[in-house]
C-alpha cells in the first residue's frame, strides 16, 4: 500500500503555499519511481514534472519580458539559468523539500534526496500539481514568491562559464576547450560526474557535480579562475 499523504508533508505543503486538496495529486508529485518498487501503487512525479516545467518556463519568461527591455539573447540566458535543474534544486533545498520526497530505501540510502536531478524534478512536479489544482495564476504567483531572490538577483546575468571560456579561447587564439567525463559514480538517480576541461598548450581543470552539465559549468569556471 502507498499510504496517505504524510501529516508533516501536508503541513509543509500548506506552509509553502501549495494548498493541497486532492491528496492523490500531491502524493504523485512527491513520489520517485523507486518508491513503487516496494509494492506501492501511486504514480511517480514524471508526468507532473513535464507539466510543471512548462508552467515554470512560461512564468519566468513572462516576468523577464515585463522586467525590462533586454534583448532576446539576454532574456534566453537568464531564463535558462533561472529554470535550470540546479536552480530548482537549490530552491527545493532552501524550502526544506528533501525530507518529504517519497523514495525507495535504496534510492534514499544512495543519496537520492540530495540529488539535483530528483530535487529539481520534484520541485517542477509540485508546480504542475499546483497548476492542476488551482490554475495558472496561482501557480505563477507561487513561482514568483519561491523564485523571488533569484528573479531579483544576478542569476543568469553574467555569461555562462562555458560560453565565457569558449570566447576566451578564441580571443587568445587557442584551441576549442575539450570537455571529458573522467569519472562517474553512484546509481542513475544519484549519479556524480567529474568532468575535466582542457585547452591545448594551456592546462586543464576539473569539477564534480550531480549532473554532467553542471560539472562542465563548474569545470569551465575553475579553468577561467586559474588561467583566464
Amino acid at each position: 500500500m502507498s499510504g496517505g499523504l504524510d501529516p508533516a508533508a501536508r503541513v509543509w505543503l500548506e506552509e509553502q503555499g501549495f494548498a493541497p486538496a486532492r491528496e492523490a495529486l500531491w502524493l504523485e508529485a512527491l513520489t520517485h519511481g523507486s518508491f513503487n518498487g516496494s509494492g506501492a501503487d501511486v504514480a511517480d512525479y514524471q508526468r507532473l514534472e513535464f507539466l510543471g516545467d512548462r508552467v515554470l518556463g512560461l512564468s519566468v519568461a513572462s516576468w523577464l519580458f515585463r522586467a525590462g527591455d533586454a534583448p532576446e539573447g539576454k532574456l534566453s540566458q537568464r531564463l535558462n539559468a533561472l529554470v535550470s535543474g540546479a536552480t530548482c534544486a537549490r530552491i527545493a533545498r532552501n524550502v526544506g523539500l528533501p525530507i518529504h520526497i517519497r523514495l525507495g530505501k535504496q534510492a534514499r540510502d544512495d543519496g537520492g534526496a540530495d540529488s539535483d536531478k530528483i530535487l529539481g524534478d520534484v520541485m517542477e512536479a509540485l508546480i504542475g500539481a499546483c497548476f492542476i489544482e488551482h490554475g495558472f495564476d496561482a501557480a505563477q504567483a507561487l513561482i514568483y514568491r519561491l523564485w523571488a531572490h533569484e528573479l531579483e538577483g544576478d542569476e543568469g546575468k553574467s555569461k555562462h562559464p562555458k560560453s565565457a571560456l569558449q570566447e576566451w579561447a578564441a580571443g587568445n587564439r587557442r584551441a576549442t576547450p575539450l570537455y571529458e567525463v573522467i569519472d562517474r559514480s553512484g546509481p542513475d538517480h544519484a549519479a556524480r560526474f567529474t568532468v575535466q576541461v582542457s585547452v591545448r598548450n594551456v592546462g586543464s581543470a576539473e569539477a564534480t557535480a550531480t549532473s554532467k552539465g553542471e560539472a562542465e559549468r563548474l569545470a569551465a569556471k575553475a579553468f577561467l579562475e586559474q588561467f583566464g
Side-chain angles (χ1 to χ4, degrees):
M1 296 293 294
S2 62
L5 189 61
D6 183 86
R10 176 178 288 280
V11 169
W12 177 81
L13 287 166
E14 291 171 348
E15 289 176 345
Q16 301 310 316
F18 288 106
R22 283 182 280 171
E23 185 165 279
L25 182 68
W26 299 93
L27 278 173
E28 183 177 332
L30 291 169
T31 300
H32 183 257
S34 64
F35 187 82
N36 292 324
S38 57
D41 55 4
V42 175
D44 65 37
Y45 58 64
Q46 291 186 8
R47 281 171 49 82
L48 286 171
E49 180 267 327
F50 167 84
L51 179 61
D53 176 65
R54 275 69 186 173
V55 176
L56 174 62
L58 178 57
S59 297
V60 172
S62 177
W63 190 96
L64 293 172
F65 185 86
R66 296 195 306 267
D69 58 358
E72 187 274 339
K74 291 291 187 182
L75 291 173
S76 294
Q77 181 177 308
R78 284 214 72 199
L79 175 65
N80 290 337
L82 288 164
V83 304
S84 71
T87 298
C88 290
R90 183 170 63 252
I91 291 169
R93 290 188 183 94
N94 289 344
V95 299
L97 172 59
I99 64 172
H100 301 297
I101 299 175
R102 289 152 54 90
L103 292 158
K105 182 180 184 305
Q106 189 62 55
R108 188 169 293 279
D109 290 347
D110 288 339
D114 194 46
S115 161
D116 274 11
K117 176 71 168 66
I118 292 176
L119 286 171
D121 285 354
V122 175
M123 196 73 234
E124 290 179 337
L126 290 169
I127 291 170
C130 183
F131 170 79
I132 289 175
E133 188 135 280
H134 305 297
F136 180 77
D137 288 347
Q140 185 182 64
L142 181 78
I143 290 165
Y144 290 166
R145 182 168 59 78
L146 293 177
W147 262 254
H149 177 75
E150 282 72 17
L151 289 168
E152 297 291 351
D154 294 330
E155 188 75 25
K157 289 183 179 179
S158 59
K159 197 180 296 292
H160 192 284
K162 287 185 68 176
S163 298
L165 179 53
Q166 180 78 20
E167 291 183 8
W168 177 89
N172 287 277
R173 300 174 183 250
R174 301 292 184 177
T176 300
L178 176 65
Y179 295 86
E180 181 183 6
V181 177
I182 59 175
D183 185 61
R184 183 190 185 284
S185 61
D188 289 345
H189 56 264
R192 293 189 66 77
F193 298 85
T194 298
V195 169
Q196 180 184 79
V197 60
S198 58
V199 176
R200 196 174 63 220
N201 297 327
V202 177
S204 64
E206 61 184 59
T208 302
T210 56
S211 72
K212 180 173 174 285
E214 180 65 3
E216 290 178 345
R217 186 187 75 82
L218 292 173
K221 183 174 182 289
F223 187 100
L224 287 168
E225 289 172 351
Q226 185 173 355
F227 300 105

